[in-house]
Amino acid sequence: MSDPIRFRGPAASDAADVWRLARDSGALDLNSPYAYLLWCTDFATTTVLAEDATDRRVGFVGGYRPPTDPEAAFVWQVAVAADQRGRGLGRRLLDAFLSRPGTRDGRWLTATVTPSNAASLALFRGYADARGVGCDEHERFPAEVFPAEAGVHEPELALRIGPLPPR
Ligand SMILES: CC(C)(COP(=O)(O)OP(=O)(O)OC[C@H]1O[C@@H](n2cnc3c(N)ncnc32)[C@H](O)[C@@H]1OP(=O)(O)O)[C@@H](O)C(=O)NCCC(=O)NCCS
């Protein structure tokens, strides 16, 4: 049977669905529709979408190469549609992300995660474990650097996975 999930780079016409995936994720900070348009165009080579057999967008990873850390491929946001979770799609999305033209020479997979996000921590730690590489963790953004008027925000832990083998 052919694989029902396909991975591809995004275009402007995908940005509204990426925004919807982020909105419906139950965990991500929702950015403006315009931010997702930029991600699907200016950052298309470091972003990946997953589609099912009906062409429904069921997951995405948006990322970039930080100018201050050029060997890293940074995951800005990752989400899997609720009805597709727990089947390995998150892991496959990270593989697809690290195979994009803009990330495939990255030596480190980096991200930030809030301490209460068990699914996200399990995704990244499991990814490192499965590849036999380290997952260094430290607090990057303490709670107080977020604007108080925007409501309580947990600190963000930085994860640094690698070094990754050549792809
Ligand atoms: C995080 C997320 C992308 C994971 O996607 P997924 O397709 O369910 O993940 P996978 O099925 O590939 O599972 C990866 C690992 O995480 C574990 N995991 C998944 N959901 C979990 C949960 N709710 N609690 C604990 N562990 C969980 C799996 O058991 C698996 O572990 P393993 O590698 O040891 O086998 C998904 O839960 C999601 O979209 N969450 C909302 C958005 C979000 O929090 N994004 C991350 C912010 S940085």
Side-chain angles (χ1 to χ4, degrees):
M1 200 179 77
S2 65
D3 188 344
I5 303 291
R6 286 174 289 111
F7 298 93
R8 65 171 175 83
S13 53
D14 296 308
D17 277 344
V18 172
W19 179 86
R20 291 183 187 104
L21 279 166
R23 179 196 62 186
D24 298 341
S25 70
L28 295 177
D29 285 346
L30 184 60
N31 297 283
S32 68
Y34 185 74
Y36 294 97
L37 273 166
L38 291 184
W39 237 270
C40 288
T41 54
D42 287 357
F43 294 88
T45 65
T46 55
T47 293
V48 68
L49 283 182
E51 278 180 343
D52 71 8
T54 67
D55 295 338
R56 180 170 73 110
R57 281 77 159 179
V58 290
F60 80 97
V61 178
Y64 63 92
R65 301 295 293 269
T68 51
D69 189 8
E71 292 195 322
F74 178 75
V75 174
W76 168 63
Q77 289 191 320
V78 49
V80 168
D83 63 347
Q84 299 290 318
R85 290 181 191 166
R87 302 177 186 180
L89 182 52
R91 247 176 295 153
R92 294 180 67 202
L93 269 165
L94 292 181
D95 274 339
F97 169 67
L98 288 170
S99 301
R100 297 287 299 141
T103 56
R104 61 172 73 114
D105 65 337
R107 290 194 69 227
W108 305 91
L109 177 66
T110 60
T112 73
V113 180
T114 53
S116 69
N117 194 334
S120 184
L121 284 170
L123 170 68
F124 287 109
R125 288 171 179 162
Y127 196 81
D129 274 357
R131 277 147 198 81
V133 296
C135 180
D136 179 69
E137 302 182 16
H138 68 273
E139 187 176 280
R140 179 171 177 194
F141 298 126
E144 59 269 23
V145 301
F146 293 93
E149 309 89 296
V152 176
H153 198 297
E154 284 184 75
E156 293 273 348
L157 301 177
L159 308 187
R160 187 174 184 84
I161 293 168
L164 300 169
R167 297 175 296 288

